[in-house]
Each structure stands twice: as structure tokens, then as C-alpha cells.
Amino acid sequence: MSAVVTAGGAWLVTGGAGFIGGNFVRRLSRETTAPIVVLDALTYAGNASSIADVLARPHVALVKAALLDALFARHDFTRVVHLAAESHVDRSIVGPQPFLRTNVDGTFQLLEAARRHWTTPNGPLAGRRLLHVSTDEVFGDLAPNAPPFTEASPYAPSSPYAASKASADLLVRAWHRTYGVPVLISNCSNNYGPWQFPEKLIPLTILNALEGRELPVYGDGRQRRDWLHVEDHCAALLAIVERGRVGETYVVGGGDERENIDVVRAVCRAVDEACGGGRAAEGGESAARIRHVADRAGHDRRYAIDATKIRRELGWAPRHSIDEALPALVRWYVEHRDWCDAVRSGEYRRFYDEYYAARLGGNVTAPGRSPAPR
Ligand code: NAD
Ligand code: DAU
């Protein structure tokens, strides 16, 4: 058992069947024997199968729908890690309402439960901490030569998703200041790693390349993102919730800033290498299938993070880089094709058809319908 986790009471992890939440509870369940309650609505993006190994452990339970008050009353939560969200920017542009409901109202409901169960007229109960997991997108578009985001960067969200996360962040800050709810906030950059839903750039490109489909790149592909391996993010979240200062914000990023087109080309190389000699017979290298398509509305050109505070205060540092991690990640998606097929449900395929059809000129083969060329 590691010394990373010091809390003795129960944990509540919202969104724990999603990409980051699943990786987080997998790690947490190894670090502590304290009860862990995973609260997840199991939307298209949340899958119990992603954490089947974690749920097999006796101290971990999945709750799909529950009243927060009942959960707080039943378990003596000392840690809450709030990851539940609608997380995909493109979906927020097509239909923003679920983002307001889950990201804003859902956070409000959680804060209210924490207020009711964790605070008294004499102040907050000792030893409780709620970590609200947020995004660097709340800071908006970073100018090409501007210094990276810090905890002091002003909020300027561009997309409905970013605006909903920014709204949630502001509620969290207000519930701390007004009611004394013991919160911490993290604002992290783009994650990649195993179990990421294949709507996001890296897994979408891996699977489309493996399955011989076109690789959509928005606009000129020169937008920049600061990439962080999900394991590094989970280590940061544990450090913040256990050792961060209550009421503080920590920005988290890998310092691995890349243009999207470079990321897509690196994925193509990794997929072609994984496919070995067979790739040539399938119609050429993956990069030949890159298609520059209509840009995302309101697309932020650049995000970048200055993680000095978390490095200095909590001794956190990323261990992975995208170049080192991509070959293993491609292998992971090759070895988890059943999971990929299962999670790309009819609902997801409809979104893919509708969203990419116009962009790819109607020339779309929806995922999961065509046999893999390998
Ligand atoms: P994800 O979409 O993979 O997972 C979200 C999870 O939340 C899913 O399991 C889903 O079922 C669940 N969920 C959705 N609505 C819910 C509701 N109303 N009640 C309970 N559960 C609900 O997202 P992710 O990429 O794992 O992101 C997790 C969190 O981290 C989000 O808050 C996101 O804003 C934040 N974040 C993500 C990244 C990234 O690069 N993926 C970077 C920084 C911050
Ligand atoms: O910065 C943190 C954020 O990173 C998180 O808060 C979000 O939850 C997460 O989804 C991610 O947001 P992005 O919009 O940056 O991720 P996405 O993978 O959707 O896109 C990454 C970049 O690639 C972005 O500039 C858009 C571009 N892109 C994306 C897709 C899906 C393409 O060019 N083509 C695509 O098909």
C-alpha cells in the first residue's frame, strides 16, 4: 500500500466509468483499501466494462443513479473527486444543453450535498476535501507567443463546453468562499491514454487509421495543444486532493505542446509501424488518408500550461511524453478492439455520421461498420 493516500474515510469519485475517472479509480483502488464509491450515469462515454477489473475489488462499488444526499448520509466521505461531465467540445457545439445540465447543474448539486453534509454553523468538518476536475479550456485561446496559462490566467471560455466548465469552476469557488466547502480545483490540458473514448483526436485517429478510414483534421491543423498522459494526470489529481492547499487552484500540463497535424502524423507513423509490412498492401501509409476538413466553430488555436505551482508545491512532474507513449497506446487499441466496438454504440455512430459527413463530403464510413483491413 502506498503512502500517497492518507485519508482513512470513504471516497466518492464521480464520472469514474469515463476515461480519466476510470484510470483514476484503477490507481486509487491500489493505493487505498478505504471504500470507493464510483458515481456515474453511464452515458455513451461511460462504460462499466472499462473498470470491470476495478469493480471486482471488494472495496469498490459502482452506483449508476442515486440521490447525493442519500450517498453522503450512507458513507462518511472524506474525499470527493468530481470528474463527471459531458466532455466533448464538438458535441457541445451541436447540442449544448446536456453540458449545462451535467457540468453546471450537476456540479451545483454536488456542492450543495457537500455543504449540507460537510459544513456546520461552526465551520467545515475536519479532514474533508472535494477536488473539482476542470480544464485549461476555461482560459480560452492563447496567443501564439503568449506565456502559458497559470493559475492567475483570466477566464475566457470559447465553446459551450468550456463555458459550462468555467461556470462550474466559479460555483466551486463561490461555495468555498461563502459556505466554507473545502474545495480544490485542477485545470488540466489535453489527456491521452488507454480507455479514452474514440471521439477524441488521438483515439479517433488511431482507430480510423487502423480501420482504413479517412483522418479528419480541422482547418489547417496548426492548432496547438499541451498533451499529458492520463497516468500523469491521475498522479497530479492524487497529489492535489491529498496534499494541495484547500481553496487553491492548480493548473496541470505535460509541457508537450504540439500542433494537431504533427500529432496526427505521429499517430500515423505509430499505426503503420504496428501494422508492419501489411500496411503497404492496404493502399499506402496512413498519412495518405489525412483530410483537412471544415474547422470547428470557435476553435481555440492554442492552449499551453505553466505547471510551476504543482511542481514546486507538490513535487509533481509528468513521466511520459507523447512520442514515447504512442507505440504502446496504438498496441492498446489494437488489443482492445472488442471494447472499441462495444463503446462505439449506435448513438455514437449517428453522431459520427452527422458530424463528419458534411466535413468529409459525405464520404464517411462510420466506425464499427467496416471490417478492419488487418
Ligand atoms: P469522459 O467523457 O470520458 O467521461 C465522463 C464520465 O462522466 C462518463 O463516465 C459519463 O458517463 C459520466 N457522466 C456524464 N454525465 C454524468 C452525470 N450527469 N452524472 C454522473 N456521471 C456522468 O470524460 P474525461 O475525458 O474522462 O473527463 C473527465 C473530467 O476531466 C471532465 O470533467 C473533463 O472536463 C475533465 N478534463 C478532461 C480532459 C481530457 O483531456 N479528457 C482534460 C482536462 C479536464
Ligand atoms: O484541453 C483539455 C480538453 O481537451 C478537455 O477539457 C476536453 O474534455 C477534451 O475533450 C480535450 O478537448 P479538445 O477539444 O482539445 O480535444 P479533441 O480531442 O476533441 O481535439 C483535440 C484537437 O484536435 C482540437 O484542436 C480539435 C482537433 N480535432 C479533433 C477531432 C475530434 C481535429 O482536428 N479532428 C478531429 O476529428
Side-chain angles (χ1 to χ4, degrees):
M1 202 65 41
S2 126
V4 177
V5 173
T6 53
W11 289 69
L12 174 63
V13 181
T14 74
F19 163 49
I20 300 171
N23 279 282
F24 180 78
V25 293
R26 183 166 289 108
R27 166 133 193 214
L28 178 64
S29 68
R30 291 195 301 262
E31 305 273 357
T32 182
T33 52
I36 301 169
V37 177
V38 174
L39 176 63
D40 198 296
L42 301 181
T43 68
Y44 80 94
N47 292 281
S49 66
S50 308
I51 52 167
D53 56 324
V54 185
L55 295 173
R57 297 182 180 157
H59 61 304
V60 185
L62 172 66
V63 177
K64 186 178 172 195
L67 289 177
L68 283 165
D69 272 328
L71 275 185
F72 271 77
R74 191 172 326 131
H75 304 276
D76 183 20
F77 293 129
T78 54
R79 298 286 182 270
V80 174
V81 182
H82 179 39
L83 295 122
E86 290 290 340
S87 69
H88 192 36
V89 173
D90 294 328
R91 280 179 180 262
S92 83
I93 296 167
V94 173
Q97 196 176 37
F99 290 72
L100 302 188
R101 211 178 293 131
T102 289
N103 301 0
V104 184
D105 191 53
T107 302
F108 161 70
Q109 301 292 346
L110 183 65
L111 288 168
E112 280 292 84
R115 175 164 83 91
R116 282 192 290 269
H117 294 269
W118 282 3
T119 66
T120 72
N122 301 323
L125 298 182
R128 269 68 173 169
R129 283 158 169 254
L130 183 155
L131 170 57
H132 171 65
V133 180
S134 190
T135 168
D136 61 358
E137 301 208 8
V138 299
F139 304 124
D141 207 355
L142 191 62
N145 298 315
F149 299 130
T150 69
E151 291 75 11
S153 296
Y155 276 36
S158 302
S159 69
Y161 162 72
S164 71
K165 293 294 291 188
S167 307
D169 292 12
L170 298 184
L171 293 178
V172 172
R173 290 181 182 192
W175 261 242
H176 175 63
R177 180 163 173 127
T178 304
Y179 303 116
V181 176
V183 303
L184 303 104
I185 298 178
S186 61
N187 295 97
C188 187
S189 61
N190 285 64
N191 281 214
Y192 61 93
W195 308 104
Q196 186 168 32
F197 193 85
E199 66 192 349
K200 306 286 165 59
L201 179 68
I202 288 183
L204 179 94
T205 305
I206 292 174
L207 289 180
N208 278 12
L210 283 171
E211 295 169 0
R213 287 192 301 276
E214 297 180 295
L215 312 178
V217 171
Y218 298 160
D220 63 5
R222 305 287 307 273
Q223 305 85 357
R224 301 177 75 87
R225 296 290 183 267
D226 178 344
W227 294 94
L228 182 69
H229 196 284
V230 67
E231 285 171 10
D232 287 325
H233 188 192
C234 291
L237 296 178
L238 270 179
I240 295 167
V241 73
E242 286 301 276
R243 295 184 285 110
R245 285 182 289 140
V246 168
E248 291 286 316
T249 290
Y250 295 85
V251 300
V252 185
D256 208 356
E257 197 183 333
R258 303 287 182 98
E259 290 188 351
N260 290 342
I261 188 69
D262 291 338
V263 171
V264 169
R265 288 204 184 105
V267 170
C268 288
R269 281 193 297 277
V271 168
D272 290 349
E273 274 162 30
C275 291
R279 176 54 74 194
E282 289 155 19
E285 294 177 353
S286 298
R289 296 202 188 84
I290 293 175
R291 298 285 177 270
H292 288 270
V293 300
D295 209 348
R296 174 185 277 175
H299 200 172
D300 289 334
R301 293 289 292 180
R302 180 178 175 229
Y303 308 135
I305 291 280
D306 174 353
T308 302
K309 180 175 172 180
I310 183 171
R311 284 173 178 266
R312 190 180 291 153
E313 282 190 18
L314 304 179
W316 172 87
R319 294 184 173 180
H320 300 276
S321 74
I322 218 168
D323 285 331
E324 161 264 314
L326 270 181
L329 187 58
V330 169
R331 275 198 304 282
W332 189 93
Y333 277 94
V334 169
E335 287 161 8
H336 290 76
R337 290 293 282 273
D338 287 350
W339 179 83
C340 296
D341 289 343
V343 301
R344 290 181 295 179
S345 61
E347 197 274 337
Y348 170 67
R349 289 204 298 268
R350 266 193 305 283
F351 169 80
Y352 189 96
D353 271 351
E354 283 164 22
Y355 192 78
Y356 287 103
R359 288 177 162 72
L360 292 167
N363 186 20
V364 164
T365 315
R369 281 191 208 140
S370 62
R374 296 184 59 240

